[in-house]
Amino acid sequence: MTKYDIADIRLAPKGKSRIEWASAQMPVLELVTRRFQKEKPLKGLKLSACLHVTCETANLMIALKAGGADTVLVASNPLSTQDDVAASLVKDYGMAVFAKKGEDNKSYYSHIYAALEQGPHITMDDGADLVSAIHKDPAKYMRNIFAGTEETTTGVIRLRSLEAQHKLLYPIVAVNDAQTKHFFDNRYGTGQSTIDGIIRATNVLLAGKNLVVCGYGWCGRGVAMRARGMGANVTVTEIDPLKSLEAVMDGFRVMPMTGALKYGEIYVTVTGDTSVIRKEHFLKMRDRAIICNSGHFDVEIDVKDLRKMARKVRTMRDCVEEFTLPNRRRIYLLAEGRLVNLSAAEGHPAMVMDMSFANQALSAEWVAEFHDSLDKKVYRVPEAIDKEIARIKLKSMGIAIDVLTKEQVAYLSAWEAGT
Ligand code: ADE
């Protein structure tokens, strides 16, 4: 019998049609699924995945199962689970799922441990919470593990820190670092889904608003670009001189947080670091400022301090809390400071998750085949996989591109030609 802990199995029909709807936007993953069905590259392998439980993720799990893997899926964030999708995965696809939207910390970690008790050969993480739990108790959880994959920037940072300290216990592929992942998912996915989350939570008009993007990595670039597209006046805060320069030349105002506080009406943190909006900032914000986070963990806004400072807290709408400060100004916090795009909206659209999850599936196949020759290191997705995904994606969009002529190939490999 399938093991599971989900909110409500009766939600399955709604989840199933949403999974199918997403599938239509995921042609690369569909091709992978069809090949996996025939070749069964993951046969006999147990795979534990800690990912956002969305309809896009459901299609990845279907691909892995088609490849022969015995899977368990748990949430990688307490607020991102789509309960109807969890229900359908259990009921219609016979998958073990442990995830409930709004679960508390205790339940979140009990689900992580449930995934590890399966005794996986491969781990698939989004934020490295499985890896972190394994490294805290390797005697208990390392039993069968021979490799893993990691979806996101924050997770890869944690892995590289383990690797630098020579503590990484098994090889892990940094899916995030594939070009067909971060160029698209982090930029266009986060850009659109973050704006979607802000709008669904608040229904504010972005045109003419002063919006502050904290962090100008791939995600920050996407949020800034899309906010400008909606007519917002965008200010960027950064700590890296190169990224700051890029933001300036992309046409954004760049300044330290202290300067941005005078203008900001909406703030979005996407830095991957902690305490980006903190105690010293709250009292200097304009009345009715909206603050939210689109970085992986809920550490970018010091929510505990905000709660402590507040004279009054009330819920205004789903995902919107009002904090009245001692200076009588109000701050609106979205989605408890957790990923606003996955908590207040549905995360990145399937069209972009198609490439991210094709990278995941093909990386799982790659480690299944080559794990004997891998060291305890963080690996890049092989370039051949990355390029193939781009090729198939273009083809699925009906877009043909040029090829080099023989003469051009020769020119590129010659050094003699000059002025
Ligand atoms: N991360 C961001 N958006 C996502 C989505 N739609 N599904 C799974 N993981 C995501």
Coordinates of all heavy atoms in Angstrom, one line a residue, residues 222-278:
G222 N 15.5 39.0 -13.0 CA 14.2 38.7 -13.5 C 13.1 39.5 -12.9 O 12.2 40.0 -13.5
V223 N 13.2 39.6 -11.5 CA 12.1 40.4 -10.8 C 12.2 41.9 -11.2 O 11.1 42.5 -11.5 CB 12.3 40.3 -9.3 CG1 11.3 41.1 -8.6 CG2 12.2 38.8 -8.8
A224 N 13.4 42.4 -11.3 CA 13.5 43.8 -11.7 C 13.0 44.1 -13.1 O 12.3 45.0 -13.3 CB 15.0 44.2 -11.6
M225 N 13.4 43.2 -14.0 CA 13.0 43.3 -15.4 C 11.4 43.3 -15.5 O 10.8 44.1 -16.2 CB 13.6 42.2 -16.2 CG 13.2 42.0 -17.6 SD 14.2 40.7 -18.4 CE 13.7 39.2 -17.5
R226 N 10.8 42.3 -14.9 CA 9.4 42.1 -15.0 C 8.6 43.2 -14.3 O 7.5 43.7 -14.7 CB 8.9 40.8 -14.5 CG 9.4 39.6 -15.4 CD 8.8 39.8 -16.8 NE 9.2 38.8 -17.7 CZ 10.0 39.0 -18.8 NH1 10.4 40.2 -19.1 NH2 10.3 37.9 -19.6
A227 N 9.2 43.7 -13.1 CA 8.5 44.8 -12.4 C 8.5 46.1 -13.2 O 7.5 46.8 -13.3 CB 9.2 45.0 -11.1
R228 N 9.6 46.3 -13.9 CA 9.7 47.5 -14.8 C 8.7 47.3 -15.9 O 8.0 48.3 -16.3 CB 11.1 47.6 -15.4 CG 11.2 48.7 -16.4 CD 12.6 49.2 -16.6 NE 13.5 48.2 -17.2 CZ 14.8 48.3 -17.3 NH1 15.4 49.4 -16.8 NH2 15.5 47.4 -17.8
G229 N 8.6 46.1 -16.4 CA 7.6 45.8 -17.5 C 6.2 46.2 -17.1 O 5.3 46.5 -18.0
M230 N 5.9 46.1 -15.8 CA 4.5 46.4 -15.3 C 4.4 47.9 -15.0 O 3.4 48.3 -14.4 CB 4.2 45.6 -14.1 CG 4.1 44.1 -14.3 SD 2.7 43.6 -15.3 CE 1.4 43.8 -14.2
G231 N 5.5 48.6 -15.2 CA 5.4 50.1 -15.0 C 5.9 50.6 -13.7 O 5.8 51.8 -13.3
A232 N 6.5 49.7 -12.9 CA 7.1 50.1 -11.6 C 8.4 50.9 -11.8 O 9.1 50.7 -12.7 CB 7.3 48.9 -10.7
N233 N 8.7 51.8 -10.8 CA 10.0 52.4 -10.8 C 10.9 51.6 -9.9 O 10.6 51.5 -8.7 CB 9.9 53.8 -10.1 CG 8.9 54.7 -10.9 OD1 9.0 54.8 -12.1 ND2 8.0 55.3 -10.1
V234 N 11.9 50.9 -10.5 CA 12.6 49.9 -9.8 C 13.9 50.4 -9.3 O 14.7 51.0 -10.0 CB 12.8 48.7 -10.7 CG1 13.6 47.6 -10.0 CG2 11.5 48.1 -11.2
T235 N 14.2 50.2 -8.0 CA 15.5 50.4 -7.4 C 16.1 49.1 -7.0 O 15.4 48.2 -6.6 CB 15.3 51.3 -6.1 OG1 14.7 52.5 -6.5 CG2 16.6 51.5 -5.4
V236 N 17.4 49.0 -7.2 CA 18.1 47.7 -6.9 C 19.1 48.0 -5.7 O 19.8 49.0 -5.7 CB 18.9 47.2 -8.1 CG1 19.8 46.0 -7.7 CG2 17.9 46.7 -9.2
T237 N 19.1 47.1 -4.7 CA 20.2 47.1 -3.7 C 21.0 45.9 -3.9 O 20.5 44.8 -4.2 CB 19.6 47.2 -2.3 OG1 19.0 45.9 -2.0 CG2 18.6 48.3 -2.1
E238 N 22.3 46.1 -3.8 CA 23.3 44.9 -4.0 C 24.5 45.2 -3.2 O 24.8 46.2 -2.7 CB 23.7 45.0 -5.5 CG 23.5 43.7 -6.3 CD 24.0 42.4 -5.8 OE1 25.0 42.4 -5.1 OE2 23.4 41.4 -6.1
I239 N 25.3 44.1 -3.0 CA 26.6 44.2 -2.3 C 27.7 43.9 -3.2 O 28.9 44.2 -2.9 CB 26.7 43.3 -1.0 CG1 26.3 41.8 -1.4 CG2 25.8 43.7 0.1 CD1 27.3 41.0 -1.9
D240 N 27.4 43.4 -4.4 CA 28.5 43.0 -5.3 C 28.7 44.1 -6.3 O 27.7 44.6 -7.0 CB 28.1 41.7 -6.0 CG 29.1 41.2 -7.0 OD1 29.1 41.8 -8.2 OD2 29.9 40.4 -6.7
P241 N 30.0 44.6 -6.5 CA 30.2 45.8 -7.4 C 29.8 45.5 -8.8 O 29.3 46.3 -9.6 CB 31.6 46.1 -7.2 CG 32.2 45.1 -6.4 CD 31.2 44.2 -5.8
L242 N 30.1 44.3 -9.3 CA 29.8 43.9 -10.7 C 28.4 43.9 -11.0 O 27.9 44.4 -12.0 CB 30.5 42.6 -11.1 CG 31.9 42.7 -11.5 CD1 32.5 41.3 -11.6 CD2 32.1 43.4 -12.8
K243 N 27.7 43.2 -10.1 CA 26.2 43.1 -10.3 C 25.6 44.5 -10.2 O 24.6 44.8 -10.9 CB 25.6 42.1 -9.2 CG 26.0 40.7 -9.5 CD 25.4 39.8 -8.5 CE 25.8 38.3 -8.7 NZ 25.7 37.5 -7.6
S244 N 26.1 45.3 -9.3 CA 25.6 46.7 -9.1 C 25.7 47.4 -10.4 O 24.8 48.1 -10.8 CB 26.3 47.4 -8.0 OG 26.2 46.7 -6.8
L245 N 26.9 47.3 -11.0 CA 27.2 48.0 -12.2 C 26.3 47.5 -13.3 O 25.8 48.3 -14.1 CB 28.7 47.7 -12.6 CG 29.4 48.6 -13.6 CD1 29.3 50.1 -13.2 CD2 30.8 48.2 -13.7
E246 N 26.1 46.2 -13.3 CA 25.2 45.7 -14.4 C 23.7 46.3 -14.2 O 23.1 46.7 -15.2 CB 25.1 44.2 -14.2 CG 24.4 43.5 -15.4 CD 24.3 42.0 -15.2 OE1 24.9 41.4 -14.3 OE2 23.6 41.4 -16.0
A247 N 23.3 46.3 -12.9 CA 22.0 46.9 -12.7 C 21.9 48.4 -13.1 O 20.9 48.8 -13.7 CB 21.6 46.8 -11.2
V248 N 23.0 49.1 -12.9 CA 23.0 50.5 -13.3 C 22.9 50.6 -14.8 O 22.1 51.4 -15.3 CB 24.3 51.2 -12.8 CG1 24.5 52.6 -13.5 CG2 24.4 51.3 -11.3
M249 N 23.7 49.8 -15.5 CA 23.7 49.8 -17.0 C 22.4 49.2 -17.6 O 22.1 49.4 -18.7 CB 24.9 49.2 -17.5 CG 26.1 50.0 -17.0 SD 27.4 50.1 -18.3 CE 28.6 51.1 -17.4
D250 N 21.7 48.4 -16.8 CA 20.4 47.9 -17.2 C 19.3 49.0 -17.0 O 18.2 48.8 -17.4 CB 20.0 46.6 -16.4 CG 20.8 45.4 -16.9 OD1 21.4 45.5 -18.0 OD2 20.8 44.4 -16.2
G251 N 19.8 50.1 -16.4 CA 18.8 51.2 -16.3 C 18.1 51.3 -15.0 O 17.1 52.1 -14.9
F252 N 18.6 50.6 -14.0 CA 17.9 50.7 -12.7 C 18.6 51.7 -11.7 O 19.8 51.9 -11.9 CB 17.8 49.3 -12.0 CG 17.0 48.3 -12.8 CD1 17.6 47.3 -13.5 CD2 15.7 48.5 -13.0 CE1 16.9 46.4 -14.2 CE2 14.9 47.6 -13.7 CZ 15.5 46.6 -14.4
R253 N 17.9 52.3 -10.8 CA 18.6 53.1 -9.7 C 19.2 52.1 -8.8 O 18.6 51.1 -8.4 CB 17.5 53.9 -9.0 CG 17.2 55.2 -9.6 CD 16.4 56.1 -8.7 NE 15.2 55.5 -8.2 CZ 14.2 56.1 -7.7 NH1 14.3 57.4 -7.5 NH2 13.1 55.5 -7.3
V254 N 20.4 52.3 -8.4 CA 21.1 51.4 -7.4 C 21.6 52.3 -6.2 O 22.1 53.4 -6.4 CB 22.4 50.8 -8.1 CG1 23.1 49.9 -7.1 CG2 21.9 49.9 -9.3
M255 N 21.3 51.8 -5.1 CA 21.6 52.5 -3.9 C 21.6 51.6 -2.7 O 21.1 50.5 -2.8 CB 20.7 53.7 -3.6 CG 19.2 53.3 -3.4 SD 18.1 54.7 -3.2 CE 18.0 55.3 -4.9
P256 N 22.2 52.0 -1.5 CA 22.1 51.1 -0.3 C 20.7 51.1 0.2 O 19.9 52.0 -0.1 CB 23.1 51.8 0.7 CG 23.8 52.9 -0.1 CD 23.0 53.2 -1.3
M257 N 20.4 50.2 1.0 CA 19.1 50.0 1.6 C 18.6 51.3 2.3 O 17.5 51.7 2.2 CB 19.1 48.8 2.6 CG 17.8 48.4 3.0 SD 16.9 47.6 1.6 CE 15.6 47.0 2.5
T258 N 19.6 52.0 3.0 CA 19.2 53.2 3.8 C 18.6 54.2 2.8 O 17.6 54.9 3.2 CB 20.4 53.8 4.5 OG1 21.5 53.7 3.6 CG2 20.8 53.1 5.8
G259 N 19.1 54.3 1.6 CA 18.6 55.3 0.6 C 17.2 54.8 0.1 O 16.3 55.6 -0.1
A260 N 17.2 53.5 -0.2 CA 15.9 52.9 -0.8 C 14.7 53.1 0.1 O 13.6 53.2 -0.3 CB 16.2 51.5 -1.2
L261 N 15.0 53.1 1.5 CA 13.9 53.1 2.4 C 13.0 54.4 2.3 O 11.9 54.4 2.6 CB 14.5 53.1 3.9 CG 15.1 51.7 4.3 CD1 15.8 51.9 5.6 CD2 14.0 50.7 4.4
K262 N 13.6 55.4 1.7 CA 12.9 56.7 1.6 C 11.8 56.5 0.5 O 10.8 57.2 0.5 CB 13.8 57.8 1.2 CG 14.8 58.2 2.2 CD 15.6 59.5 1.8 CE 16.8 59.6 2.6 NZ 18.0 59.0 2.0
Y263 N 12.1 55.7 -0.5 CA 11.2 55.6 -1.7 C 10.3 54.4 -1.6 O 9.1 54.5 -1.9 CB 12.0 55.3 -3.0 CG 13.0 56.3 -3.3 CD1 14.3 56.1 -3.0 CD2 12.6 57.5 -4.0 CE1 15.3 57.1 -3.3 CE2 13.6 58.4 -4.4 CZ 14.9 58.2 -4.0 OH 15.8 59.1 -4.4
G264 N 10.8 53.3 -1.1 CA 10.2 52.0 -1.3 C 8.7 51.9 -0.9 O 8.4 52.2 0.2
E265 N 7.9 51.4 -1.9 CA 6.5 51.1 -1.5 C 6.3 49.5 -1.5 O 5.4 49.0 -0.8 CB 5.6 51.7 -2.5 CG 5.6 53.2 -2.4 CD 4.8 53.9 -3.6 OE1 5.3 53.8 -4.7 OE2 3.7 54.4 -3.3
I266 N 7.1 48.9 -2.3 CA 7.1 47.4 -2.3 C 8.6 46.9 -2.3 O 9.4 47.5 -3.0 CB 6.4 46.8 -3.6 CG1 5.0 47.4 -3.7 CG2 6.4 45.3 -3.6 CD1 4.3 46.9 -5.0
Y267 N 8.9 46.0 -1.5 CA 10.2 45.4 -1.4 C 10.2 43.9 -1.7 O 9.3 43.2 -1.2 CB 10.8 45.6 0.0 CG 11.0 47.0 0.5 CD1 9.9 47.8 0.9 CD2 12.3 47.6 0.4 CE1 10.1 49.1 1.3 CE2 12.5 48.9 0.8 CZ 11.4 49.6 1.3 OH 11.5 50.9 1.6
V268 N 11.2 43.5 -2.5 CA 11.3 42.0 -2.7 C 12.7 41.6 -2.4 O 13.7 42.2 -3.0 CB 11.0 41.7 -4.2 CG1 11.0 40.2 -4.4 CG2 9.7 42.3 -4.7
T269 N 12.9 40.7 -1.5 CA 14.3 40.2 -1.3 C 14.5 38.9 -2.1 O 13.7 38.0 -2.1 CB 14.5 39.8 0.2 OG1 13.4 38.9 0.6 CG2 14.4 41.1 1.1
V270 N 15.7 38.9 -2.8 CA 16.1 37.7 -3.6 C 17.6 37.6 -3.5 O 18.2 37.5 -4.6 CB 15.6 37.8 -5.1 CG1 14.4 37.0 -5.4 CG2 15.5 39.2 -5.5
T271 N 18.1 37.6 -2.3 CA 19.6 37.6 -2.2 C 20.2 36.2 -1.9 O 21.3 35.9 -2.1 CB 20.0 38.5 -1.0 OG1 19.6 37.9 0.2 CG2 19.4 39.9 -1.2
G272 N 19.4 35.3 -1.2 CA 19.9 34.1 -0.7 C 20.6 34.2 0.6 O 21.2 33.3 1.1
D273 N 20.6 35.5 1.2 CA 21.3 35.7 2.4 C 20.3 36.1 3.5 O 19.1 36.2 3.3 CB 22.4 36.8 2.3 CG 23.5 36.6 3.2 OD1 23.4 35.9 4.2 OD2 24.6 37.1 3.0
T274 N 20.8 36.2 4.7 CA 20.0 36.4 5.9 C 19.8 37.9 6.3 O 20.7 38.7 5.9 CB 20.5 35.6 7.1 OG1 19.6 35.6 8.1 CG2 21.8 36.1 7.6
S275 N 18.8 38.3 6.9 CA 18.6 39.6 7.5 C 18.8 40.8 6.6 O 19.6 41.7 6.9 CB 19.5 39.8 8.8 OG 19.2 38.8 9.7
V276 N 18.2 40.7 5.4 CA 18.4 41.7 4.4 C 17.5 42.9 4.7 O 17.9 44.0 4.6 CB 18.0 41.1 3.0 CG1 18.1 42.2 1.9 CG2 18.9 39.9 2.7
I277 N 16.3 42.6 5.2 CA 15.4 43.6 5.7 C 15.3 43.3 7.2 O 14.8 42.3 7.6 CB 14.0 43.6 5.1 CG1 14.1 43.9 3.5 CG2 13.1 44.7 5.7 CD1 12.8 44.0 2.8
R278 N 15.8 44.3 8.0 CA 15.9 44.0 9.5 C 15.4 45.1 10.3 O 14.9 46.1 9.8 CB 17.3 43.6 9.8 CG 18.3 44.5 9.2 CD 19.8 44.1 9.4 NE 20.7 45.1 8.9 CZ 21.2 45.1 7.7 NH1 21.0 44.1 6.9 NH2 22.0 46.1 7.3

